Amino acid sequence: MELPNQEYLGYYPDAELVLAVVCPIGTPYKPVTDALSDYLRHFGYQTELIKVSDFFEELLAELGGCATPSGDLPKDIALRKIRAGNEIRRLSRQNDVMALVAAGVIADKRRTATQKVGRKQDQKRSLPRSRTAYIISTVRRPEEVTTLRRVYGDGFFLVGVNASKGSRERYLEQQGIVGDEATRIMETDAKEKLDPDHGQSTRDAFQMADVFLSADSKDEHSGGQVSRFLDLLFGCPTITPSPQEQAMFMAYASSLRSGDLSRQVGAAIIDPQGDLISVGCNEAPRFGGGLYDPPSELATSHRDIELGEDSNEREKRAMAERIVEALGAGVDGIVVRKSLKTAGFFDITEFGRAVHAEMEALLACSRSGRSARDATLFTTTFPCHNCTRHILAAGIKKVIYIEPYSKSRASTLHPDEIAVDHEENGKLPFLPFVGVGPRRYFDLFSVSLSTGYPVERKQDGRVSSWSRKTAPLRMQVKPSTYLQREDLAYAELNRIRSRHG
């Protein structure tokens, strides 16, 4: 395939690649970063590993803080890193500060590389390095992901690595962290409750990943998941979506229909033969069946987005006020509301008008006369406890999800009926999604609609030749700005004019 070589098109065959890893604490992610480095060599790429926690102590000292607790036990080291990161974010007043650290390290490495080749005139500049990949470990806040994406654009990829709770507990046990201590550290890593404004929020960052890999998978030991992902990054024309990736993309596409004020959630139900039965999203129900659509000349709509408020939030506020009033004069309302929040009072979803995505997918089956028994339900968010009981009763055999949902009490209320993050005889498994995430589905699988260069699958009636040694990145970090590319395009136009003038 002939690729564009004009610089004004923003095509750089030796472009840099920036990857970041996000994973729950206790996940053995090192085999994944090792596999990334090993397989990138097949494409002629050298790798630079950037571990942001290595810079905690120096940065914290510069900001006037100190790391606690002291001690060399594994639990002390883990807690010290968590608290150091929290303190750095608090003192800097920026939750994306670790992304700034990573970007600064990358820039320094470029300057060092420039000096080594003796380009003195460029020593103060950060110049692109040919066929170099940077692997950042590990991301702990969603703001870090957002900043890295805005800095590096389409050439940045977030790699989510997951492992079951049991696997993570065993890993922490090997480090000497067991029992309640392990539980506390895992909960703190997922979502810091004592310092929600600046603490770790790995759960929220994880669901933003571009690709999801499993550290529990036997395939990971051979690098199968990693090699497939990298082949897609470099435009391999013969890889198509797995049934799981296709189904999750359908769930995600369905979520975009939702106008819910809280979040967009989508679900898709696939029958045992792999055919799509139904989809659903979270939205207010309408008379006659189904969900409201946007208002039009032919129909009105009574979604929350048109009514202007979330009924669940309104009712929770009203109940909290009644509780404060019932406690009588002299009670500090702020303290009471904070206590209610800590107790989980504001997590209730009882008074929402929207039908949840999973429920709507099940109801769509009934409206069309299709059975959901033995089907697989794909959902963009872990099902709440209200949906879980209906999923169980409908006969669903497996649930696949992306985003964790801390408000769900599904595992607490149905411990004998469901198994979270693993399969177990006699229980409905709720399993994390593995594969290319919906946000990069078009970029990596579409032959013509990707933000990268188009892919040709055949030449002269045969499958196109493709080699890791010569393949360029499909989505690239562009070292030029659109203003520079605009000037280059204009210069190319003038060259054409002068040639034919």
Side-chain angles (χ1 to χ4, degrees), residues 182-200:
T183 300
R184 183 163 70 93
I185 288 177
M186 286 193 291
E187 290 178 349
T188 300
D189 169 70
K191 187 74 172 181
E192 174 66 72
K193 293 181 180 179
L194 298 179
D195 187 9
D197 293 331
H198 305 294
Q200 293 193 174

Side-chain angles (χ1 to χ4, degrees), residues 12-20 36-37 39-40 43 45-48 50 106 110 128-136 152-159 210 229-231 233-234 440 444 472-478:
Y12 303 91
D14 298 323
E16 293 174 304
L17 172 64
V18 181
L19 304 167
L36 285 168
S37 295
Y39 277 92
L40 280 166
F43 298 91
Y45 270 67
Q46 61 176 327
T47 57
E48 297 272 11
I50 300 169
I106 292 174
R110 286 206 199 95
R129 298 171 67 186
S130 177
R131 302 187 86 79
T132 302
Y134 305 93
I135 303 175
I136 303 167
Y152 297 108
D154 295 331
F156 170 77
F157 287 85
L158 182 64
V159 180
D210 298 297
F229 167 58
L230 291 178
D231 285 349
L233 289 192
F234 285 86
R440 285 301 188 125
L444 296 181
L473 274 169
R474 196 172 185 200
M475 278 70 60
Q476 302 173 346
V477 177
K478 293 180 171 55

Side-chain angles (χ1 to χ4, degrees), residues 183-326:
T183 300
R184 183 163 70 93
I185 288 177
M186 286 193 291
E187 290 178 349
T188 300
D189 169 70
K191 187 74 172 181
E192 174 66 72
K193 293 181 180 179
L194 298 179
D195 187 9
D197 293 331
H198 305 294
Q200 293 193 174
S201 186
T202 304
R203 179 192 296 130
D204 294 331
F206 184 84
Q207 56 94 15
M208 300 171 73
D210 298 297
V211 64
F212 299 87
L213 309 179
S214 172
D216 292 331
S217 173
K218 294 180 180 179
D219 183 44
E220 188 49 55
H221 296 296
S222 64
Q225 297 177 69
V226 169
S227 64
R228 179 179 183 267
F229 167 58
L230 291 178
D231 285 349
L232 282 168
L233 289 192
F234 285 86
C236 180
T238 58
I239 301 177
T240 58
S242 69
Q244 184 163 291
E245 288 167 331
Q246 182 184 18
M248 188 58 78
F249 181 74
M250 291 175 179
Y252 180 78
S254 178
S255 76
L256 303 182
R257 179 189 173 192
S258 170
D260 191 83
L261 296 176
S262 296
R263 62 174 66 213
Q264 290 180 312
V265 181
I269 297 179
I270 309 297
D271 71 13
Q273 287 71 46
D275 295 324
L276 176 68
I277 304 177
S278 67
V279 295
C281 71
N282 55 323
E283 191 51 271
R286 68 182 180 192
F287 172 72
L291 308 176
Y292 274 116
D293 290 312
S296 65
E297 294 181 359
L298 301 177
T300 58
S301 179
H302 299 289
R303 304 179 298 172
D304 288 352
I305 199 169
E306 273 85 47
L307 299 181
E309 67 173 344
D310 183 331
S311 60
N312 194 60
E313 296 297 323
R314 180 191 65 210
E315 292 299 324
K316 288 189 294 185
R317 287 196 302 268
M319 287 192 298
E321 290 303 319
R322 290 196 292 270
I323 291 172
V324 172
E325 291 176 6

Side-chain angles (χ1 to χ4, degrees), residues 54-67:
D54 289 344
F55 302 90
F56 281 1
E57 186 175 342
E58 178 183 356
L59 183 56
L60 194 57
E62 291 174 352
L63 296 174
C66 60

Side-chain angles (χ1 to χ4, degrees), residues 38-195:
D38 290 342
Y39 277 92
L40 280 166
R41 292 192 189 99
H42 296 183
F43 298 91
Y45 270 67
Q46 61 176 327
T47 57
E48 297 272 11
L49 181 62
I50 300 169
K51 194 172 182 180
V52 292
S53 61
D54 289 344
F55 302 90
F56 281 1
E57 186 175 342
E58 178 183 356
L59 183 56
L60 194 57
E62 291 174 352
L63 296 174
C66 60
T68 57
S70 59
D72 297 324
L73 294 176
K75 68 175 182 179
D76 297 328
I77 296 172
L79 285 173
R80 187 159 60 245
K81 287 183 178 180
I82 290 174
R83 291 174 183 173
N86 295 356
E87 185 70 357
I88 289 170
R89 285 184 284 267
R90 186 186 68 81
L91 292 171
S92 66
R93 298 181 182 179
Q94 288 194 214
N95 283 336
D96 68 343
V97 64
M98 301 311 169
L100 306 184
V101 170
V105 173
I106 292 174
D108 285 342
K109 287 180 178 294
R110 286 206 199 95
R111 292 189 185 97
T112 300
T114 300
Q115 293 171 3
K116 285 183 178 179
V117 297
R119 297 179 61 175
K120 294 182 179 180
Q121 71 275 19
D122 294 323
Q123 285 183 4
K124 294 184 179 180
R125 299 175 60 195
S126 180
L127 298 178
R129 298 171 67 186
S130 177
R131 302 187 86 79
T132 302
Y134 305 93
I135 303 175
I136 303 167
S137 67
T138 57
V139 168
R140 287 289 179 252
R141 291 280 309 192
E143 296 89 346
E144 297 168 12
V145 180
T146 298
T147 293
L148 289 168
R149 281 192 175 137
R150 290 181 177 176
V151 170
Y152 297 108
D154 295 331
F156 170 77
F157 287 85
L158 182 64
V159 180
V161 185
N162 203 359
S164 67
K165 183 180 178 182
S167 295
R168 288 184 283 128
E169 286 175 339
R170 288 190 293 273
Y171 180 85
L172 291 175
E173 184 178 355
Q174 294 172 1
Q175 308 300 312
I177 306 173
V178 297
D180 293 340
E181 197 71 55
T183 300
R184 183 163 70 93
I185 288 177
M186 286 193 291
E187 290 178 349
T188 300
D189 169 70
K191 187 74 172 181
E192 174 66 72
K193 293 181 180 179
L194 298 179
D195 187 9

Side-chain angles (χ1 to χ4, degrees), residues 187-473:
E187 290 178 349
T188 300
D189 169 70
K191 187 74 172 181
E192 174 66 72
K193 293 181 180 179
L194 298 179
D195 187 9
D197 293 331
H198 305 294
Q200 293 193 174
S201 186
T202 304
R203 179 192 296 130
D204 294 331
F206 184 84
Q207 56 94 15
M208 300 171 73
D210 298 297
V211 64
F212 299 87
L213 309 179
S214 172
D216 292 331
S217 173
K218 294 180 180 179
D219 183 44
E220 188 49 55
H221 296 296
S222 64
Q225 297 177 69
V226 169
S227 64
R228 179 179 183 267
F229 167 58
L230 291 178
D231 285 349
L232 282 168
L233 289 192
F234 285 86
C236 180
T238 58
I239 301 177
T240 58
S242 69
Q244 184 163 291
E245 288 167 331
Q246 182 184 18
M248 188 58 78
F249 181 74
M250 291 175 179
Y252 180 78
S254 178
S255 76
L256 303 182
R257 179 189 173 192
S258 170
D260 191 83
L261 296 176
S262 296
R263 62 174 66 213
Q264 290 180 312
V265 181
I269 297 179
I270 309 297
D271 71 13
Q273 287 71 46
D275 295 324
L276 176 68
I277 304 177
S278 67
V279 295
C281 71
N282 55 323
E283 191 51 271
R286 68 182 180 192
F287 172 72
L291 308 176
Y292 274 116
D293 290 312
S296 65
E297 294 181 359
L298 301 177
T300 58
S301 179
H302 299 289
R303 304 179 298 172
D304 288 352
I305 199 169
E306 273 85 47
L307 299 181
E309 67 173 344
D310 183 331
S311 60
N312 194 60
E313 296 297 323
R314 180 191 65 210
E315 292 299 324
K316 288 189 294 185
R317 287 196 302 268
M319 287 192 298
E321 290 303 319
R322 290 196 292 270
I323 291 172
V324 172
E325 291 176 6
L327 291 174
V331 173
D332 189 333
I334 296 177
V335 173
V336 172
R337 293 184 189 91
K338 186 175 181 180
S339 299
L340 289 173
K341 183 176 182 179
T342 303
F345 174 84
F346 290 103
D347 290 346
I348 62 176
T349 59
E350 178 68 25
F351 304 103
R353 297 177 63 246
V355 177
H356 289 193
E358 302 92 326
M359 274 299 303
E360 167 57 16
L362 292 172
L363 291 170
C365 287
S366 67
R367 291 197 298 269
S368 62
R370 299 290 301 273
S371 173
R373 185 183 293 275
D374 294 330
T376 300
L377 186 145
F378 289 80
T379 177
T380 58
T381 302
F382 189 97
C384 73
H385 40 280
N386 291 321
C387 286
T388 296
R389 60 191 177 196
H390 294 93
I391 291 170
L392 282 164
I396 294 290
K397 72 171 183 179
K398 185 181 293 185
V399 174
I400 308 293
Y401 70 93
I402 288 182
E403 181 183 355
Y405 185 50
S406 59
K407 294 181 181 180
S408 178
R409 299 293 182 268
S411 59
T412 303
L413 297 176
H414 303 284
D416 298 324
E417 305 299 329
I418 70 172
V420 178
D421 293 350
H422 67 281
E423 299 197 47
E424 187 175 335
N425 288 336
K427 293 186 178 182
L428 171 63
F430 282 47
L431 303 176
F433 172 74
V434 174
V436 172
R439 72 178 309 277
R440 285 301 188 125
Y441 190 86
F442 270 94
D443 276 344
L444 296 181
F445 291 119
S446 173
V447 296
S448 59
L449 297 179
S450 169
T451 55
Y453 59 79
V455 168
E456 292 183 5
R457 283 186 169 159
K458 68 176 182 178
Q459 292 176 324
D460 299 326
R462 297 172 180 263
V463 175
S464 298
S465 60
W466 179 86
S467 170
R468 288 176 174 171
K469 291 182 179 180
T470 58
L473 274 169

